[in-house]
Amino acid sequence: MKPIRFNVDPKEYKHLKVAVEGPIARITLTIPEDGGLRDGYKLKLNSYDLGVDIELADATRRLRFEHPEVSAVAIQSGQDGIFSAGANIFMLQTSGHPHKVNFCKFTNETRCSIEDSLQDSKQYYLAAANGLASGGGYELCLACEEIHLIDDRNSTVSLPELPYLGVLPGTGGLTRLVDKRKVRRDLADLFATVAEGVKGQRAVDWKLVDAVHTASTFHEKVTARLQEIAGDGNPYKGITLDVLKADYADGGAEYKYVNLKINHDSRVATIELTGPDAADGDIPATPSDLGCDWYGLRFWRELDDALLNLRNNYYEIGTVVIQSSGDINNVLKLDNALAEKKDDWFIREVLVEIKRVLKRIDYTSRSFFTLIEPGSCFAGSLFEIALASDRIYMMDHEEEENFVAISTLNDGFFPMGNGISRLNTRFYYEKDSAEKVIAAKDKLLTAAEAMALGIATDTPDDIDWEDEVRIQIEERASFSPDALTGMEASLRFPGPETMETKIFSRLTAWQNWIFTRPNAVGERGALTMYGNVRSPEFDWKRV
Amino acid sequence: MKPIRFNVDPKEYKHLKVAVEGPIARITLTIPEDGGLRDGYKLKLNSYDLGVDIELADATRRLRFEHPEVSAVAIQSGQDGIFSAGANIFMLQTSGHPHKVNFCKFTNETRCSIEDSLQDSKQYYLAAANGLASGGGYELCLACEEIHLIDDRNSTVSLPELPYLGVLPGTGGLTRLVDKRKVRRDLADLFATVAEGVKGQRAVDWKLVDAVHTASTFHEKVTARLQEIAGDGNPYKGITLDVLKADYADGGAEYKYVNLKINHDSRVATIELTGPDAADGDIPATPSDLGCDWYGLRFWRELDDALLNLRNNYYEIGTVVIQSSGDINNVLKLDNALAEKKDDWFIREVLVEIKRVLKRIDYTSRSFFTLIEPGSCFAGSLFEIALASDRIYMMDHEEEENFVAISTLNDGFFPMGNGISRLNTRFYYEKDSAEKVIAAKDKLLTAAEAMALGIATDTPDDIDWEDEVRIQIEERASFSPDALTGMEASLRFPGPETMETKIFSRLTAWQNWIFTRPNAVGERGALTMYGNVRSPEFDWKRV
């Protein structure tokens, strides 16, 4: 299969149009049937595959950076009578388990980033369902702050996955019904088993949508509501995001500051990070003048693309080694400058972009080992990548200097999905420990100091380093990939759970299970048999 | 296979001895190799199967009711050098997926009930690991308030499931490491991949155990600590619990107040509940004089046994219809009497027993529909069973009276695993709604009133009732059992998550997934290959 690329050019969007008029943006889905990522299925009825979501994720990011003046965003459909039929069923039927799961994960991340928009970017999303919103189509609505449905006697919202396909709504639908929209659990149960869905006033009464409007008033009412939400918009002027460039030639991906190298034999990838120059920490009076080529933004966009590239194109790479090179003081300088300008819209967008990329690591089902060696620059925001890793190895070198450093950005700027910082997650029940680490900020910490503070897993000396680290990496790569995925998903999120972590744990884990079951994907499973004249056959055992 | 029974006679325990001396009890595991629930595996090294856990669950319940004076409980081993090797691997290898999952679920529930003991019953559990505590053996230790490990250069604690078997520790181990014992996530990661485990001072440093003692001082130190915890014990005098009697003859199980009927053709079970007599609400000055034959205790023990019987012996029964008959006023009288005497030790034990049985419903992966018809007695504690159901149908009868009622016990006496009441879970984000329901307590509510209060899903009239309810039940029974399990697990727990719900959702769902994967259970999977000279073979794709 052709590799999947995430760095799309908005001029080449196939599936959606973005129109900005003053403080209001409209994202219109008009998905061509032949626009699938690969052959073998037709994207009928505005159904989607990963390719559509890649554009949607790109569009929401661009709205933040390029149109920060926008304060209200409508998601709507360009097809009459149909908002979206959700994930394409024939695509799911013909996709392997890893693709299905990674597809759902990315769509979930995009939905969460739409959901973040109000708090993070003062952009309020409204779903304007001018027709049937079914399955993932309705789940896209659920990610918005409010849902308007056309009342034309036909158009329903529905989650038909369970009755039709024997699977769950895979993009947070069940969790958002009860946890976000406060639909009563028994009504949610009823709704999720009624394939034809719910329409009109009942949809409002059950809290499935916020308002219904007749066909003749729909556009007008939605527009009025958008204007009400939008007000005068935000007083910001955007920048242009270029299309991220990468050299994918030799397997992996080489960017300006990030280099993803794939070793197929060992099933280990290396991500090499390059630190900033001193000048990158000089932030001008109008920070957005820095533009998209600035290290502070480009580095994280590159890392994000590298992670997505790894996730979706290299399933067999189970272990990721993270290394860095550069001047640790430059990172501290940049971090402190970011913290100082945190109230500027552009810097705020950069900070929440960093937050999202770091969460991408948390939710990536690969083992991450960060290696800290002389010449590295794991400080602050870059050290946060180490904190997101499963293990941190730091060389205790007898002669060469080898430091890490904490910056003020480690102190709550990048909450995980569970709502708290990685340091507080790490030491969740011992606030003292996290406070001690924060108290050491802006200092260069040796391996012994890092070990004492609990921010290194192990600190082999320079003589043993090569062997010890190699053995750990080889061993990791030898374990059952499934068991590692389950273990990491369990250990990475101690402490509180939020709707977001519920979606990525409870719901996703059940969905993964169901996606492996013969009742869904076996020869006579419901997903396999969809569209067939024969009925599915179930093994009736409850588990 | 022979049906599995949960109502064991303590005189016939095969696997453990319970010794009570003043305020201290000791549960000693001495598991005979040939004591398995079925043939085909030997319970070597104090490894266990469901039969062992059934005794352990029974023993902890009996300690509460029969020996409430006990304030410290040690779990220890009767075998030298070995505490427990955990769940028997050969049992797991030869068990089907539903048995594995239900086995893990029951052991999880037992661990959670051990964990509750301190708060609910003033009984403090201490694990005295006088030898290797491996896998589920160590997880049993993790459920205790503190862990003492012998320091004899051999004895380790370990979670070897991932490296040896390609599965996860299935009884809450990973979650308890990070969320309960506050083991740092990277150390937990390291620990769970080191098959040989960790011993001595390092086990203390990593917080895996609370203390280590040399072999010569182990017994003495543990005893001293038990005495310190126990103090003078609790000033209560226990009752005797009989062995629960049931007629299992005709499929299902008929008890005194509970009748479980199995219909194999429709794959639907009915649980008929009988309400109390008026006299059952007369609680004497010394409530424990009521003994174990009292409705207030027997009813719930019977319902618990019925649920376990259903879960473990009738996998194909996916839908459970709950009905009741009796005088609704008698239930209110009993509930009010329970609430009034809630500070008495015996009544407190009854209340927390009810809490546990209700949680058993929440965690049972079958669809529960409660049907409320004339002559039923769904009030208070019995209505809580309806609140635990996925749907509540109440007949709106034109002529006959049909009521439900709320009692003070619905107001927080029976928290779910998520820490809040079923009413607050039902209306989690709308406290007003829950308060309105509570304000209607002790009143007989019609179908229309119940509907208005949001405590009924639907209220068909008596003419449509038969058809409507039948169609809903038949439809439910026709859906994919896997998808229903995942949906119910997602909708039943809106709102907060706790360590307990994390164990039953995040961890369990991942474990279920892994238990279906060829990398664990395929022909060359790690669990299948355990004990074989050849190595497992993995599909390396990460999902």
Side-chain angles (χ1 to χ4, degrees):
Chain A
M1 212 175 96
K2 233 173 57 184
I4 299 169
R5 299 296 175 218
F6 292 79
N7 52 345
V8 285
D9 184 340
K11 287 194 218 75
E12 289 166 20
Y13 283 175
K14 282 196 251 179
H15 309 292
L16 47 91
K17 284 198 195 79
V18 182
V20 176
E21 204 172 324
I24 295 174
R26 290 176 186 266
I27 300 176
T28 306
L29 299 172
T30 311
I31 301 173
E33 294 194 2
D34 292 323
L37 264 186
R38 57 176 170 81
D39 295 336
Y41 52 87
K42 296 218 174 263
L43 298 177
K44 290 187 181 180
L45 301 173
N46 261 356
S47 65
Y48 60 80
D49 67 0
L50 180 56
V52 177
D53 241 77
I54 289 172
E55 291 183 10
L56 186 58
D58 189 69
T60 58
R61 182 185 287 116
R62 283 179 194 280
L63 279 179
R64 291 179 159 127
F65 280 102
E66 302 191 342
H67 294 287
E69 77 278 12
V70 163
S71 51
V73 184
I75 301 186
Q76 58 191 33
S77 154
Q79 297 195 20
D80 269 348
I82 182 87
F83 176 74
S84 166
N88 186 275
I89 297 169
F90 303 99
M91 177 276 292
L92 288 174
Q93 280 179 342
T94 53
S95 295
H97 186 51
H99 181 77
K100 279 205 280 287
V101 170
N102 277 290
F103 162 65
C104 289
K105 186 177 284 180
F106 184 75
T107 54
N108 267 320
E109 289 170 320
T110 305
R111 300 301 167 274
C112 287
S113 102
I114 287 175
E115 213 150 39
D116 281 352
S117 293
L118 181 57
Q119 189 195 313
D120 285 351
S121 307
K122 305 185 188 174
Q123 295 187 332
Y124 187 109
Y125 276 72
L126 177 150
N130 53 323
L132 179 88
S134 172
Y138 177 51
E139 289 180 293
L140 176 56
C141 297
L142 286 170
C144 297
E145 297 300 314
E146 60 184 67
I147 306 173
H148 293 246
L149 175 65
I150 195 165
D151 190 3
D152 59 0
R153 292 165 192 239
N154 287 316
S155 296
T156 61
V157 293
S158 65
L159 292 177
E161 286 87 345
L162 186 143
Y164 278 168
L165 309 174
V167 302
L168 299 186
T171 327
L174 296 176
T175 307
R176 284 202 178 84
L177 275 184
V178 289
D179 273 280
K180 180 179 180 182
R181 294 199 57 92
K182 312 163 193 181
V183 177
R184 231 173 54 209
R185 57 169 279 198
D186 54 343
L187 298 178
D189 178 293
L190 204 50
F191 173 63
T193 57
V194 176
E196 65 272 21
V198 172
K199 63 189 170 192
Q201 187 57 39
R202 169 170 283 192
V204 178
D205 292 343
W206 287 18
K207 304 189 194 166
L208 302 170
V209 306
D210 295 281
V212 289
H213 313 295
T214 58
S216 61
T217 62
F218 186 77
H219 182 73
E220 180 194 334
K221 295 263 181 143
V222 165
T223 301
R225 178 66 184 137
L226 283 169
Q227 284 164 345
E228 187 183 2
I229 296 162
D232 296 333
N234 301 316
Y236 315 136
K237 195 172 170 312
I239 66 163
T240 301
L241 288 188
D242 60 0
V243 179
L244 211 61
K245 279 178 205 66
D247 177 4
Y248 300 115
D250 194 23
E254 189 172 355
Y255 309 82
K256 190 167 176 190
Y257 302 116
V258 173
N259 192 358
L260 167 70
K261 291 178 176 171
I262 302 291
N263 186 331
H264 288 284
D265 294 337
S266 62
R267 298 187 313 280
V268 174
T270 307
I271 299 183
E272 296 173 353
L273 312 174
T274 303
D277 290 332
D280 291 315
D282 298 325
I283 298 184
T286 304
S288 60
D289 288 348
L290 289 163
C292 74
D293 204 39
W294 177 45
Y295 177 92
L297 179 53
R298 183 166 303 286
F299 170 85
W300 294 99
R301 289 177 70 205
E302 292 180 352
L303 179 57
D304 200 39
D305 195 68
L307 290 167
L308 291 170
N309 193 34
L310 173 71
R311 265 195 202 171
N312 290 278
N313 296 316
Y314 302 99
Y315 295 139
E316 303 208 348
I317 305 300
T319 310
V320 183
V321 170
I322 298 191
Q323 294 173 298
S324 70
S325 63
D327 186 332
I328 198 167
N329 290 301
N330 293 349
V331 185
L332 286 175
K333 180 182 169 191
L334 173 56
D335 276 16
N336 285 319
L338 285 166
E340 197 184 318
K341 300 274 170 115
K342 69 178 164 34
D343 296 324
D344 171 76
W345 82 266
F346 175 69
I347 300 301
R348 190 194 67 221
E349 283 305 333
V350 168
L351 289 167
V352 296
E353 183 73 13
I354 298 175
K355 177 189 78 170
R356 262 178 233 119
V357 178
L358 289 162
K359 283 198 212 178
R360 194 89 80 188
I361 300 176
D362 300 330
Y363 296 133
T364 295
S365 62
R366 314 294 168 98
S367 304
F368 288 90
F369 284 12
T370 290
L371 305 189
I372 300 171
E373 297 162 276
S376 67
C377 59
F378 284 107
S381 51
L382 265 67
F383 188 71
E384 195 78 14
I385 298 168
L387 289 172
S389 303
D390 298 294
R391 298 190 195 165
I392 303 172
Y393 288 98
M394 183 168 180
M395 192 192 292
D396 193 355
H397 202 295
E398 214 165 297
E399 288 157 19
E400 289 183 60
E401 291 187 334
N402 190 26
F403 298 120
V404 293
I406 296 296
S407 84
T408 190
L409 294 190
N410 300 117
D411 191 12
F413 276 75
F414 310 123
M416 294 172 61
N418 64 7
I420 62 176
S421 72
R422 280 176 193 77
L423 273 180
N424 276 332
T425 299
R426 191 174 181 85
F427 302 113
Y428 182 52
Y429 296 92
E430 301 192 318
K431 299 233 148 113
D432 284 4
S433 303
E435 279 163 18
K436 257 184 225 159
V437 175
I438 294 296
K441 74 181 174 192
D442 296 326
K443 290 179 194 148
L444 301 187
L445 306 169
T446 65
E449 288 167 327
M451 194 70 181
L453 286 170
I455 53 172
T457 310
D458 200 5
T459 54
D461 64 30
D462 50 313
I463 295 157
D464 296 334
W465 175 261
E466 204 68 34
D467 269 358
E468 285 208 19
V469 168
R470 184 182 49 77
I471 288 167
Q472 292 296 337
I473 293 169
E474 282 177 7
E475 190 191 56
R476 190 69 162 203
S478 76
F479 291 139
S480 161
D482 304 327
L484 286 173
T485 292
M487 179 185 79
E488 290 156 6
S490 299
L491 296 182
R492 287 179 184 174
F493 302 90
E497 297 264 2
T498 60
M499 189 175 77
E500 180 176 326
T501 61
K502 278 172 100 160
I503 289 170
F504 284 102
S505 60
R506 187 185 273 274
L507 184 64
T508 299
W510 283 112
Q511 176 74 314
N512 284 6
W513 174 70
I514 291 163
F515 270 151
T516 64
R517 301 282 290 162
N519 283 340
V521 297
E523 212 174 299
R524 297 296 305 266
L527 181 60
T528 312
M529 298 294 288
Y530 183 79
N532 198 306
V533 289
R534 293 163 73 200
S535 296
E537 279 174 17
F538 294 132
D539 173 349
W540 291 111
K541 288 189 207 78
R542 277 281 198 138
V543 171
Chain B
M1 211 174 98
K2 232 175 54 183
I4 300 168
R5 300 296 174 217
F6 292 79
N7 50 345
V8 287
D9 184 339
K11 287 195 217 73
E12 289 167 19
Y13 282 174
K14 284 196 249 180
H15 310 292
L16 46 92
K17 285 198 195 81
V18 182
V20 175
E21 204 172 322
I24 294 173
R26 288 174 187 269
I27 299 176
T28 306
L29 298 173
T30 312
I31 300 172
E33 293 193 3
D34 292 323
L37 264 187
R38 57 177 171 80
D39 294 337
Y41 53 86
K42 297 218 174 262
L43 298 177
K44 291 190 181 178
L45 301 173
N46 260 357
S47 64
Y48 59 81
D49 67 0
L50 181 56
V52 176
D53 242 80
I54 288 172
E55 291 184 9
L56 186 58
D58 189 70
T60 58
R61 182 186 285 115
R62 283 179 194 280
L63 279 178
R64 294 179 158 127
F65 280 102
E66 301 191 341
H67 295 286
E69 76 277 13
V70 162
S71 51
V73 184
I75 300 187
Q76 58 190 33
S77 155
Q79 297 195 21
D80 269 349
I82 183 85
F83 176 75
S84 166
N88 186 275
I89 296 167
F90 303 101
M91 177 276 292
L92 287 174
Q93 280 178 341
T94 53
S95 295
H97 186 50
H99 181 78
K100 281 206 279 285
V101 170
N102 277 289
F103 162 66
C104 289
K105 186 177 283 180
F106 184 75
T107 55
N108 266 321
E109 288 169 321
T110 306
R111 301 298 167 276
C112 287
S113 102
I114 288 175
E115 212 150 40
D116 282 352
S117 293
L118 182 58
Q119 188 195 313
D120 285 350
S121 307
K122 303 183 189 176
Q123 296 188 330
Y124 186 110
Y125 277 73
L126 177 151
N130 55 324
L132 179 87
S134 173
Y138 177 51
E139 290 179 293
L140 177 57
C141 298
L142 286 170
C144 296
E145 297 300 315
E146 59 183 69
I147 306 172
H148 294 245
L149 174 65
I150 195 165
D151 189 5
D152 60 2
R153 291 166 193 240
N154 286 318
S155 295
T156 61
V157 293
S158 65
L159 292 176
E161 286 86 346
L162 185 144
Y164 279 168
L165 309 174
V167 301
L168 299 186
T171 327
L174 296 176
T175 306
R176 283 202 178 82
L177 276 183
V178 289
D179 273 280
K180 180 180 181 181
R181 295 200 56 91
K182 312 163 192 181
V183 176
R184 229 173 55 210
R185 57 169 280 196
D186 54 343
L187 298 177
D189 178 293
L190 204 50
F191 173 63
T193 56
V194 177
E196 65 272 21
V198 172
K199 63 190 170 190
Q201 187 56 39
R202 169 170 282 193
V204 179
D205 292 342
W206 287 17
K207 304 189 195 167
L208 303 170
V209 307
D210 295 282
V212 290
H213 313 294
T214 59
S216 62
T217 61
F218 186 77
H219 182 74
E220 179 193 334
K221 295 264 180 144
V222 166
T223 301
R225 177 66 185 137
L226 283 169
Q227 285 163 344
E228 186 182 2
I229 295 161
D232 297 332
N234 301 316
Y236 316 134
K237 196 172 169 310
I239 65 163
T240 300
L241 288 188
D242 59 1
V243 179
L244 209 60
K245 278 179 203 65
D247 178 4
Y248 298 113
D250 194 24
E254 190 172 355
Y255 310 83
K256 191 166 175 192
Y257 302 116
V258 173
N259 193 358
L260 168 70
K261 292 178 176 171
I262 302 292
N263 185 331
H264 288 285
D265 293 336
S266 63
R267 301 187 312 279
V268 174
T270 306
I271 300 183
E272 296 173 353
L273 312 173
T274 304
D277 290 333
D280 291 316
D282 297 326
I283 298 184
T286 304
S288 61
D289 289 347
L290 290 163
C292 74
D293 205 37
W294 177 47
Y295 177 92
L297 180 53
R298 183 167 302 285
F299 170 84
W300 294 98
R301 288 177 69 207
E302 292 180 352
L303 179 57
D304 201 38
D305 195 67
L307 290 166
L308 291 169
N309 193 33
L310 173 71
R311 264 195 203 172
N312 290 279
N313 297 317
Y314 301 100
Y315 295 139
E316 302 207 350
I317 305 300
T319 310
V320 184
V321 170
I322 300 192
Q323 294 172 299
S324 71
S325 62
D327 186 333
I328 198 166
N329 290 300
N330 293 348
V331 185
L332 286 175
K333 180 183 170 189
L334 173 55
D335 276 16
N336 284 319
L338 285 165
E340 197 184 318
K341 300 272 171 121
K342 69 178 170 23
D343 295 326
D344 171 77
W345 81 265
F346 175 69
I347 300 301
R348 190 194 66 221
E349 283 304 332
V350 168
L351 289 168
V352 295
E353 183 74 12
I354 298 175
K355 175 188 80 170
R356 260 176 235 120
V357 178
L358 288 163
K359 283 197 212 178
R360 195 89 80 187
I361 300 177
D362 300 331
Y363 295 133
T364 294
S365 62
R366 314 292 167 102
S367 303
F368 289 90
F369 284 13
T370 290
L371 305 189
I372 301 172
E373 296 161 276
S376 67
C377 59
F378 285 107
S381 52
L382 265 68
F383 188 71
E384 194 77 14
I385 298 168
L387 288 173
S389 303
D390 298 293
R391 297 191 195 166
I392 303 172
Y393 288 98
M394 183 168 181
M395 192 193 290
D396 194 355
H397 203 294
E398 214 165 297
E399 288 156 18
E400 290 184 59
E401 290 187 332
N402 190 27
F403 298 120
V404 294
I406 297 297
S407 84
T408 191
L409 294 189
N410 299 116
D411 191 13
F413 276 75
F414 310 124
M416 296 174 58
N418 65 7
I420 63 176
S421 71
R422 278 176 196 76
L423 273 180
N424 276 332
T425 299
R426 191 174 181 83
F427 302 111
Y428 182 52
Y429 296 90
E430 302 192 320
K431 300 233 149 113
D432 284 2
S433 303
E435 278 162 20
K436 258 185 223 161
V437 175
I438 293 298
K441 75 180 174 193
D442 295 327
K443 292 179 195 147
L444 302 188
L445 306 168
T446 64
E449 288 167 328
M451 194 70 182
L453 285 171
I455 53 173
T457 309
D458 200 4
T459 54
D461 64 29
D462 49 315
I463 295 160
D464 295 335
W465 175 262
E466 204 68 35
D467 269 358
E468 284 209 17
V469 167
R470 182 181 49 76
I471 287 168
Q472 291 297 334
I473 293 170
E474 282 177 8
E475 189 191 59
R476 189 70 163 202
S478 75
F479 290 140
S480 160
D482 305 327
L484 286 172
T485 292
M487 180 186 78
E488 289 155 8
S490 298
L491 296 183
R492 287 179 182 172
F493 302 90
E497 298 263 1
T498 60
M499 190 175 76
E500 180 175 324
T501 60
K502 277 172 99 159
I503 289 170
F504 283 103
S505 61
R506 188 183 272 275
L507 185 65
T508 299
W510 283 111
Q511 177 74 314
N512 284 8
W513 174 70
I514 291 163
F515 270 152
T516 64
R517 300 283 291 164
N519 283 340
V521 297
E523 213 174 298
R524 296 295 305 266
L527 180 59
T528 312
M529 298 294 289
Y530 184 78
N532 198 305
V533 289
R534 291 162 75 200
S535 297
E537 280 173 17
F538 294 131
D539 173 350
W540 292 111
K541 288 190 208 73
R542 278 282 197 134
V543 169

